[in-house]
Structures are given as structure tokens and as C-alpha cells.
Amino acid sequence: MKHAKQHYVPGFLLSRWEVDKKVWRYSKPHESILIEPSSVRSCAWDMHLYSVGDTQNKDTYIESEFLSPLDNDASLALEQIENDGLPSIQDSRFALAWQRFLFAQLYRSPRMVALSRARGRHILERNLDFPDAEELASLGMTPQQHIEFAKTIPNHSYDDLGVQIMPQLIKSPRAHSLLKNSTWVVMNFDDEVLIGDHPLIYKVVDSNAYIMGLPIGPNKYFFSYKGDLFKQILSQDKDVLLHGLNLGAVQSSRRMIVARSRKHDQLILNNFEPRDPVHGLLKQEQ
């Protein structure tokens, strides 16, 4: 099925780490860490990660109609950032797409999708098991009618609820107002940048102090920040800053890390410990 293979780290972003159409992928399918050259198409994807519907009739509209077009616009935005500089994108039609793309990285990882599905199921089950009497009355529905109605809801609908609201979360006007009113910086490093399967870094203190960062190339990071605290952090020695960023990328990754070369093998081997596999997480959350 078209769009059934769904990337949680966009391919256009990972492709920036390619050398001869390959990246170095670090994963841990068994006891030891596997290091292998890999195509971008083979990295950071799950079948039907964001799809909704029953097993025989999966609907891929979130991927095909929302995330895929968003990734395409974000790739154009990133080209504009690199070719024309940050002021040009902040005044262009791509600014909103870039902001939404950044926020999408918060919600589209397998772990966040699993949590969203689990929480959506919990909310729906709770509302069906303990309906509000006044709300039922306003709908002209008796408790028995409510019970019969609950029986008609397909099981997959419980797990789909949390994923179906993903586009609304990503398009949140309040979230985008934060980015719009922040300082945007592209920082170049002499050493190699690593990218993991949870590539976005973020820290929110309050509406006047927050930061988002995303690796956008093998030697580049994009930052959006507000507040003197994060200005000071970004102004520290670049080698120290990059070491912290790479260490954070390794420690926050749950399935894989991508690198352009193998120069950071030791950092990865010492600090990569996959956690919370998506399989089984949903049951655990329920």
C-alpha cells in the first residue's frame, strides 16, 4: 500500500548525512550494537506507524495528506535557510511549514505515537464507562442506549483517537507563536554532528525562556530560543557545546543513531542504550 512505510525521522533530513548514498547506522537489535552502512530508506521507519483503521483496511491519510506534504515544504524551507539565510525564511511562506515541521518531531516518534494511542484509548474507554449524566441527557440518550452505542465502536477506534489529533497538535497556534517570537540561529561546527531517532532537543522553562534545536546536517544545527540562559548556553565553546549535543543525541535515541562517518564510535558504544521498545509499550501504558 502506498505510504504504508512511514518514516519518523524524515528521509530528506537523514539524506544530508549520506556519503555515496549511504549513512552509518548504529542499532541494537540484540545484545551488541550493530554498526552498518545503510540507505536512508532503511532508517527510522515503521509500517503503518500513523495509519488508522482496522488491520484489513488501513487509512494512511495522516502520512499522505499531512506529514508527507509537510516534510516536502520543510525541505524547501531548509534549502532557503541555507541558500538565503534565516531572515529570508522568517518572512516567507515557508516559515509556518518550518515551525510545524519542528513541532512534528515532538509527536511522530514510535514512542510518542504509542503513548498517544494508549492515552487516547484510556480517555475514550473512561468516557464510555463513566458517562456524564447531564451530557447523556442533553443527547437524549439513556444509560442503556449508551451501553449499546459503546458496543458498536470498532476496537481500532480506541487506539486511533490519539493519532488522529496529531495534525491539530502540530498546528497549534500557541506553539507557533513561541517560535515566531524567538531568535533563530544556524550554527556550524568543525566536528561531526550525530542525529538520532529523537532528533529534536527542547527545553521549556516558561514563555520567556525556551529552546528548540534540530540537527540539519553533518556539521549544522538549527536553534530557536528565547532568554538569556539559552543565549549563554549557545555562546559557550563550540567543541564543548557539540560534545553535549552529540552525547544527548545518543542518550535520547531509542532505536538507532545515524552518522556520516565512524569517528564517534566510542561515544556511541559507551552511551547508546535503547529503551522502551514500542512493541509492548502500548499494553504497558494501558
Side-chain angles (χ1 to χ4, degrees):
M1 182 187 294
K2 191 176 181 181
H3 297 291
K5 185 176 180 180
Q6 298 168 358
H7 285 261
Y8 47 90
V9 182
F12 86 85
L13 188 60
L14 291 179
S15 66
R16 291 168 168 263
W17 275 258
E18 285 181 332
V19 176
D20 296 329
K21 298 185 178 180
K22 297 286 184 181
V23 297
W24 284 103
R25 181 178 63 179
Y26 298 74
S27 60
K28 196 172 183 181
H30 305 296
E31 290 301 314
S32 59
I33 293 177
L34 178 63
I35 308 172
E36 58 185 343
S38 175
S39 68
V40 166
R41 287 179 58 84
S42 300
C43 295
W45 64 274
D46 270 351
M47 291 296 290
H48 289 299
L49 180 60
Y50 321 108
S51 298
V52 298
D54 60 47
T55 305
Q56 302 300 320
N57 187 30
K58 290 289 187 183
D59 192 330
T60 63
Y61 77 91
I62 293 176
E63 171 71 16
S64 62
E65 298 177 22
F66 183 70
L67 289 175
S68 183
L70 179 60
D71 288 350
N72 182 67
D73 285 347
S75 69
L76 298 175
L78 187 50
E79 286 181 14
Q80 187 171 24
I81 288 173
E82 293 187 322
N83 295 333
D84 303 321
L86 286 171
S88 67
I89 185 178
Q90 287 176 295
D91 293 329
S92 78
R93 68 182 182 89
F94 292 121
L96 183 59
W98 183 247
Q99 292 171 48
R100 288 179 174 174
F101 173 75
L102 289 177
F103 274 99
Q105 310 319 303
L106 286 173
Y107 299 107
R108 65 193 290 179
S109 71
R111 182 173 183 273
M112 284 302 296
V113 171
L115 287 171
S116 297
R117 289 186 185 278
R119 289 170 180 166
R121 170 175 278 273
H122 174 74
I123 290 169
L124 189 54
E125 286 180 334
R126 183 170 181 81
N127 287 341
L128 290 173
D129 290 342
F130 304 100
D132 182 270
E134 290 185 6
E135 187 174 349
L136 279 183
S138 70
L139 295 172
M141 186 179 289
T142 67
Q144 184 58 40
Q145 288 173 325
H146 173 80
I147 291 172
E148 294 303 317
F149 166 73
K151 292 178 181 178
T152 68
I153 299 177
N155 185 61
H156 65 78
S157 296
Y158 292 82
D159 292 333
D160 289 346
L161 178 64
V163 178
Q164 287 172 322
I165 66 172
M166 184 190 297
Q168 284 68 45
L169 292 173
I170 292 170
K171 292 188 291 186
S172 165
R174 183 180 177 186
H176 297 306
S177 69
L178 290 178
L179 272 174
K180 185 177 181 180
N181 296 317
S182 64
T183 300
W184 290 13
V185 174
V186 171
M187 194 169 291
N188 296 290
F189 295 95
D190 294 329
D191 203 356
E192 183 179 329
V193 168
L194 302 175
I195 183 169
D197 53 28
H198 282 60
L200 187 74
I201 62 169
Y202 62 95
K203 177 70 174 178
V204 179
V205 178
D206 54 40
S207 60
N208 292 307
Y210 49 84
I211 189 169
M212 279 191 169
L214 185 74
I216 57 173
N219 299 98
K220 289 184 181 181
Y221 252 89
F222 170 89
F223 295 101
S224 169
Y225 75 92
K226 189 174 184 181
D228 291 338
L229 170 64
F230 297 113
K231 184 177 181 179
Q232 292 172 13
I233 290 173
L234 294 180
S235 63
Q236 67 181 301
D237 179 85
K238 278 193 172 184
D239 290 339
V240 174
L241 176 60
L242 181 58
H243 176 77
L245 291 170
N246 280 342
L247 179 61
V250 174
Q251 292 178 333
S252 64
S253 294
R254 297 177 183 273
R255 293 191 181 185
M256 56 128 239
I257 297 143
V258 162
R260 189 174 179 85
S261 73
R262 295 191 54 181
K263 67 182 302 181
H264 291 305
D265 270 12
Q266 208 56 51
L267 177 71
I268 297 171
L269 293 172
N270 289 344
N271 296 281
F272 180 39
E273 187 58 48
R275 296 161 290 141
D276 294 342
V278 69
H279 302 297
L281 178 62
L282 191 56
K283 292 182 180 179
Q284 178 183 331
E285 288 291 327
Q286 292 173 6

